[in-house]
Amino acid sequence: MRELPSKFVSKYQALLGKNDAAALFTAIASPSKKAFRVNPLKSTAKQFTDSQVVPVPGITEAYYGQVSGQDPEWISGLVYSQEPAAMFPGQIADVKAGERVLDLCAAPGGKSLFLGEKLQDQGLLVANEISTARAKTLRENIERWGLVNVLVTNEGPAKLASKFTHFFDKIVVDAPCSGEGMFRKNSAAMDYWSPEYVLTCQKRQQEILTAAVKMLRPGGQLIYSTCTFSPEEDEQVVSWLVEQFDFKIMPLEIVAGSRAGRPEWGQQLPDLAGTLRFWPQDNLGEGQYVAKLRAPLVDVTPTTENKPKKRQHKHKPTELSKGDNKLVAEILEQFNLPVCLTNWQNLCQVSNDHVFLPAYKGQNLGLKILKNGLELGVLKKKRFEPGQQLAQVLNGVPQERVIDLNQDEYASYLHGETIASKSKLRGFVLISYHGLIFSFGKMTGNGILKNFYPKGLRTIKKGYLN
């Protein structure tokens, strides 16, 4: 562990006092906390409830421990690795089925997964990320989790605000910050820390929040969080929201491993005691700050449809033809369908031969959209090939057309190879390992299992499991 910046040390000695500051510095030098959440949307989720794992206090379906991106539990979307304190913004949002929710700074996706599953396939989640590379990771994680009603966008907050004026019931802003809470998890975060950088982050946070406020409906809720300890980016930013936009702080209950916010660090607002701080020395996780605020009731019409300019899609979505509908039905009828797919024939659209259930059905927004709902698969020369997203949704209910691979077959399949199989099944099947479904395959009449695991997800090295 490298030495903490001297100005950081002196700052928190002054803010916390000698003893608590020493405890903070000791905690930063100790190993970071690892944890994961279990996906309640998967049919295999219950197998974790009886396992010998330690739950994260205050968070449903969350446990301490480490998972790898190569584990079948991860690849099948059963678990997601996330820092324990970072789980709280998603839970504090308290999303209800049918709401319209925005995760404005969403990558890599932990909050979006939490928000999306709470919608119960109703309403809409817009998961946005300004970085193109990080937005692709966000999309992959959402697809792996099996979420259906999600629109993934790759835009700046101001552009998004021009399309979704007064639209959302709830907005989560886990803002880019100085990253002090990342020091022990990633000591390289110290390299760009400085008092000046903290103020730069504060300005950026205010710019992002200004855009977020425009997208929140009257009386809507804003959940603001950072992974830094800095009062300039935490209590002072919340104070600014209250003063600038007449927001009201909604008090949060103290949970194990958290402390109340500090009114003296943010313009002496008493309600700041209703915000939460997570310090590493309190042994829950890394650093986190969370506040929940309510927007004032203003007489405006929450609408999006009157904002976007009409633009033609290069491939404008259309309804399924009777012939294409039959091709899709021939595949889907072979599997047990979850509730979200029971009415697929009346909801599906086609764009550039891709068949999908749209999450957002409004006017063309003119945004960079990476994902709009659930892609069922692709129409190819009078046949339909089911896609990876569909496999991750189908594993939310028990299935019968499944081929379970052994370890060597699993490694080969992830590498993109075909498999010799004695299965009597024919046609498209679901592929699993240890009972965890993760993809589609196609059994031929000569006992060959064709590989349909997406090329972009395949492993580079076949023998990594050994």
Side-chain angles (χ1 to χ4, degrees), residues 227-247:
C227 61
T228 194
F229 315 128
S230 166
E232 296 91 335
E233 302 171 73
D234 295 340
E235 284 91 347
Q236 290 181 27
V237 168
V238 173
S239 297
W240 172 83
L241 279 168
V242 171
E243 180 180 344
Q244 190 77 14
F245 300 105
D246 198 28
F247 272 66

Side-chain angles (χ1 to χ4, degrees), residues 91-108:
Q91 178 148 303
I92 285 169
D94 191 26
V95 166
K96 308 297 184 189
E99 289 184 323
R100 294 184 289 193
V101 183
L102 170 64
D103 189 356
L104 185 53
C105 310

Side-chain angles (χ1 to χ4, degrees), residues 104-105 157 173 175-176 203-213:
L104 185 53
C105 310
V173 178
K203 182 179 179 181
R204 183 190 301 133
Q205 290 149 5
Q206 291 173 341
E207 291 172 352
I208 292 171
L209 288 167
T210 298
V213 168

Side-chain angles (χ1 to χ4, degrees), residues 215-280:
M215 293 185 274
L216 196 61
R217 69 163 175 80
Q221 297 177 12
L222 173 68
I223 294 83
Y224 174 71
S225 63
T226 73
C227 61
T228 194
F229 315 128
S230 166
E232 296 91 335
E233 302 171 73
D234 295 340
E235 284 91 347
Q236 290 181 27
V237 168
V238 173
S239 297
W240 172 83
L241 279 168
V242 171
E243 180 180 344
Q244 190 77 14
F245 300 105
D246 198 28
F247 272 66
K248 302 297 182 185
I249 297 173
M250 302 175 66
L252 301 173
E253 292 185 5
I254 301 294
V255 298
S258 72
R259 305 186 194 185
R262 303 284 289 268
E264 69 273 20
W265 290 353
Q267 300 180 16
Q268 299 292 336
L269 288 178
D271 289 348
L272 284 170
T275 64
L276 293 184
R277 279 184 163 273
F278 297 86
W279 298 88

Side-chain angles (χ1 to χ4, degrees), residues 449-461:
L449 177 61
K450 289 186 177 181
N451 198 312
F452 276 75
Y453 194 57
K455 292 181 180 179
L457 300 178
R458 293 175 182 177
T459 56
I460 297 174
K461 187 177 180 181

